[in-house]
């Protein structure tokens, strides 16, 4: 009985803390190239591109901050989100998929394995699943830039994609790079230590000293970082 009482009290105190987790989250922005922004809030860093073709968003954090993300994007661009690219399936990168799909008719893209894993998650709504998936790569011609999205297998997970804006020379590698933090490798979801190192080496070979890097987590970076 005493153990049950203690457990109950712990749960009661834990609930408000969980509920308040997102209460004070503010979506901040940093323009890293012409009309390309790094957005931060709760969860993985986002990249936003705006222009004549609309808004292209890389990752979208947790569902609890979806409306705040949309408000920030509206403030910066006056537009809704046209395309969303998920770098992998973790909740802090895909959590707002449902909100944007339902409220702004955003089209969501991701690697095949991202859709497979989210499809097997009973807590994830079908409306938030990537509508278009790819095996190895996909290229967008959007907002006067060429956007290369390429799969890097078995690193952080088995469905990681990096996103490179060629003309702007901006890279979002998803969680294949944690700046100033120790990386997390999701071994239960196809992640692999050797694969992670090999993927980072591939990214280093693709970029230049001038490339602006929006890491999956941590502050804005460059090749030296």
């Amino acid at each position: 009985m005493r153990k049950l009482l203690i457990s109950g009290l712990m749960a009661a105190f834990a609930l408000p803390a969980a509920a308040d987790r997102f209460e004070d989250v503010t979506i901040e922005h940093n323009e890293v190239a012409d009309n390309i922004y790094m957005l931060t809030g709760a969860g993985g860093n986002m990249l936003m591109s705006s222009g004549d073709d609309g808004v292209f968003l890389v990752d979208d954090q947790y569902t609890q901050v979806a409306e705040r993300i949309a408000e920030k994007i509206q403030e910066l661009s006056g537009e809704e989100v046209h395309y969303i690219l998920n770098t992998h399936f973790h909740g802090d990168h895909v959590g707002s998929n449902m909100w944007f799909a339902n409220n702004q008719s955003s089209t969501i893209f991701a690697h095949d394995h991202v859709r497979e894993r989210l499809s097997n998650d009973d807590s994830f709504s079908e409306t938030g699943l990537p509508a278009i998936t790819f095996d190895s790569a996909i290229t967008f011609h959007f907002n006067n830039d060429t956007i290369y999205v390429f799969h890097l297998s078995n690193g952080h997970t088995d469905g990681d994609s990096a996103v490179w804006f060629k003309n702007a020379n901006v890279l979002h590698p998803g969680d294949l790079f944690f700046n100033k933090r120790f990386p997390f490798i999701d071994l239960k979801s196809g992640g692999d230590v050797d694969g992670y190192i090999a993927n980072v080496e591939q990214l280093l070979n693709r970029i230049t000293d001038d490339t602006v890097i929006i890491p999956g987590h941590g502050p804005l970076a460059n090749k030296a970082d």
Side-chain angles (χ1 to χ4, degrees):
M1 182 67 183
R2 184 171 179 270
K3 289 182 179 179
L4 287 174
L5 179 61
I6 292 172
S7 297
L9 286 170
M10 290 175 67
F13 281 114
L15 285 173
D20 293 341
R21 178 181 175 187
F22 300 98
E23 183 178 354
D24 297 324
V25 171
T26 301
I27 306 301
E28 305 288 349
H29 72 276
N30 179 6
E31 188 169 13
V32 301
D34 288 344
N35 295 314
I36 295 182
Y37 301 85
M38 174 176 168
L39 303 181
T40 58
N45 293 327
M46 298 171 283
L47 181 156
M48 169 198 157
S49 164
S50 65
D52 293 338
D53 296 323
V55 172
F56 186 107
L57 184 66
V58 179
D59 289 340
D60 54 30
Q61 302 199 338
Y62 294 102
T63 188
Q64 290 90 339
V65 295
E67 292 185 56
R68 277 169 271 184
I69 296 169
E71 288 169 1
K72 173 58 71 173
I73 290 171
Q74 182 70 26
E75 171 195 322
L76 294 172
S77 69
E79 302 283 345
E80 295 186 342
V81 176
H82 194 64
Y83 291 151
I84 294 174
L85 189 288
N86 294 148
T87 60
H88 61 291
F89 80 98
H90 286 154
D92 62 323
H93 295 260
V94 305
S96 294
N97 279 11
M98 291 82 76
W99 191 95
F100 280 105
N102 287 330
N103 293 281
Q104 299 193 356
S105 300
S106 306
T107 302
I108 302 165
F109 299 76
H111 185 262
D112 296 335
H113 291 164
V114 174
R115 182 180 172 96
E116 291 170 10
R117 290 194 176 278
L118 293 176
S119 296
N120 291 323
D121 183 349
D122 293 336
S123 67
F124 200 86
S125 171
E126 186 175 353
T127 59
L129 294 175
I132 299 174
T133 63
F134 54 90
D135 178 29
S136 59
I138 187 170
T139 302
F140 296 84
H141 302 278
F142 199 80
N143 289 339
N144 297 314
D145 210 331
T146 301
I147 307 168
Y148 295 112
V149 181
F150 46 96
H151 172 55
L152 293 162
S153 62
N154 301 99
H156 175 64
T157 69
D158 61 4
D160 301 314
S161 294
V163 187
W164 180 43
F165 286 71
K166 179 183 176 182
N167 296 346
N169 198 11
V170 176
L171 175 74
H172 191 314
D175 279 3
L176 289 170
F177 179 39
F178 282 36
N179 190 20
K180 302 187 186 302
R181 304 182 189 185
F182 195 80
F184 167 60
I185 299 171
D186 190 348
L187 299 176
K188 294 181 179 179
S189 302
D192 180 81
V193 174
D194 291 334
Y196 192 104
I197 294 169
N199 290 343
V200 170
E201 289 174 344
Q202 283 194 54
L203 291 172
L204 287 170
N205 289 332
R206 285 176 177 261
I207 62 177
T208 69
D209 292 339
D210 297 325
T211 302
V212 177
I213 303 172
I214 296 177
H217 295 269
L220 192 67
N222 57 28
K223 186 174 182 177
D225 293 314

